[in-house]
Each structure stands twice: as C-alpha cells, then as structure tokens.
C-alpha cells in the first residue's frame, strides 16, 4: 500500500476542502493517507512518503503563504521529494495562477514528478476542481 502524504495551508478553508478531496481519492484508491496542516508537517514526514500532494492558496503577491508554507518548502531537498509523484493544488482570487506556475517549476527543480500543471480554483472550490483533486488522489495511490 502506498503512503500518500498530503500537506496544506489554508486560511479560510478553500484549500483545505481541496486537500480533503485529494485525501478521499487517495484513500478510496487504496492508499494509506496522512493529511496534515503544514504546521504539523516536517521534511521527515515527506521523506517517508511514496507520493505527495501539497496545497496552498495564492498569497502575498502571487506567492506561497510566508509564515508556514514557504519555510516548509524551503526545508525540503531533492532527497525528500526527488523522483516522487507530487500533486499541487490551491485556491486563488484575483490573479491568474502565477503562484502555481512558479510552484510547479520550483518543485520540478527539486526533482519531483509534478502531476500536470497543478489544480487551481477561484475561491470556494468548484465541483470540477474537487473532482480533479479526487482523481489526483486516486492517481497518487495507484
Ligand atoms: C493576504 C492575502 C493575499 C492574497 N494574495 C492573492 C494573490 O496574490 N493572488 C490571488 O489570486 N489571490 C490572492 N488572495 C486570495 C486567496 O488566494 C483566496 O482568498 C483563496 O481562496 C484563499 O484560500 P484559503 O481559503 O485556502 O485560505 C490573497 C488572500 C489573502 C488573504
């Protein structure tokens, strides 16, 4: 059974809803799921995973949330994520998704096998986005 570690930051719950859909898909796809707010996650947790999903909304000016998610990502090296399937997801509002494009490239730079171009949704997740999160979870577990 694959261990799927899902780590997210969410201020108003939109990205958390996405994380829960990824978790549902991964669990129903037969994976062992660990779902953690980023404040409870660590590089060691990531290192022990077979596949990963990270979620964070667009914050600041098209960047990751700075107090918890950015330091968490900085703490990861290629030994933690290299060669692993990684899904990225998050909610935004007024931008065009640049934070996600940058995040995808950044994680590819660490050697992660990033799934597609990340799942983004405006504010409260659309049904389409939640389905995409669910399918991501299933793929990660498969
Ligand atoms: C401090 C702050 C900065 C934000 N910066 C951006 C931004 O740069 N681009 C954007 O599209 N949305 C931005 N947003 C909107 C959030 O990404 C949006 O509200 C999102 O749904 C929040 O997700 P959450 O419910 O998971 O916290 C910002 C929101 C806040 C509170």
């Amino acid at each position: 059974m694959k261990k799927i570690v899902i780590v997210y930051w969410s201020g108003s719950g939109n990205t958390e809803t996405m994380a829960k859909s990824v978790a549902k898909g991964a669990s129903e796809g037969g994976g062992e799921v660990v779902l953690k707010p980023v404040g409870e996650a660590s590089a060691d947790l990531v290192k022990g995973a077979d596949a990963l999903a990270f979620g964070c909304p667009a914050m600041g000016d098209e960047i990751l949330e700075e107090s918890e998610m950015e330091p968490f990502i900085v703490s990861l090296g290629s030994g933690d994520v290299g060669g692993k399937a990684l899904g990225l997801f998050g909610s935004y509002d007024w931008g065009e998704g640049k934070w996600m494009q940058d995040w995808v490239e950044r994680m590819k730079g660490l050697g992660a096998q990033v799934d597609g171009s990340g799942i983004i949704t405006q504010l409260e997740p659309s049904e389409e986005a939640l389905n995409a999160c669910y399918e991501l979870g299933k793929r990660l577990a498969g």
Side-chain angles (χ1 to χ4, degrees):
M1 186 185 276
K2 281 194 184 169
K3 183 172 178 180
I4 317 301
V5 168
I6 304 163
V7 177
Y8 67 93
W9 185 91
S10 186
S12 50
N14 296 326
T15 304
E16 181 175 23
T17 303
M18 299 173 85
K20 286 179 177 166
S21 282
V22 178
K24 188 163 188 271
S27 168
E28 291 181 8
E32 175 198 342
V33 177
V34 180
L35 174 66
K36 294 270 187 202
V38 65
E40 297 173 18
S42 65
D44 274 352
L45 179 72
V46 170
K47 202 181 180 72
D50 296 306
L52 300 160
F54 298 159
C56 185
M59 295 294 283
D61 182 10
E62 297 296 318
I63 57 174
L64 297 175
E65 186 277 329
E66 290 179 280
S67 68
E68 293 184 321
M69 186 53 88
E70 176 62 27
F72 169 71
I73 295 297
V74 166
S75 78
L76 301 178
S78 53
D80 305 311
V81 301
K84 289 182 186 168
L86 167 65
L88 298 176
F89 58 92
S91 174
Y92 68 100
D93 187 0
W94 55 82
E96 291 175 3
K98 185 169 188 308
W99 103 103
M100 182 57 73
Q101 291 166 13
D102 292 346
W103 200 11
V104 166
E105 292 311 313
R106 189 172 174 188
M107 299 315 295
K108 283 183 180 171
L110 286 175
Q113 305 279 323
V114 180
D115 187 283
S117 49
I119 301 168
I120 67 173
T121 191
Q122 194 176 28
L123 297 172
E124 198 177 315
S126 63
E127 200 181 321
E128 189 186 345
L130 292 181
N131 284 340
C133 288
Y134 178 84
E135 292 301 329
L136 166 67
K138 274 192 134 174
R139 273 198 300 286
L140 294 175

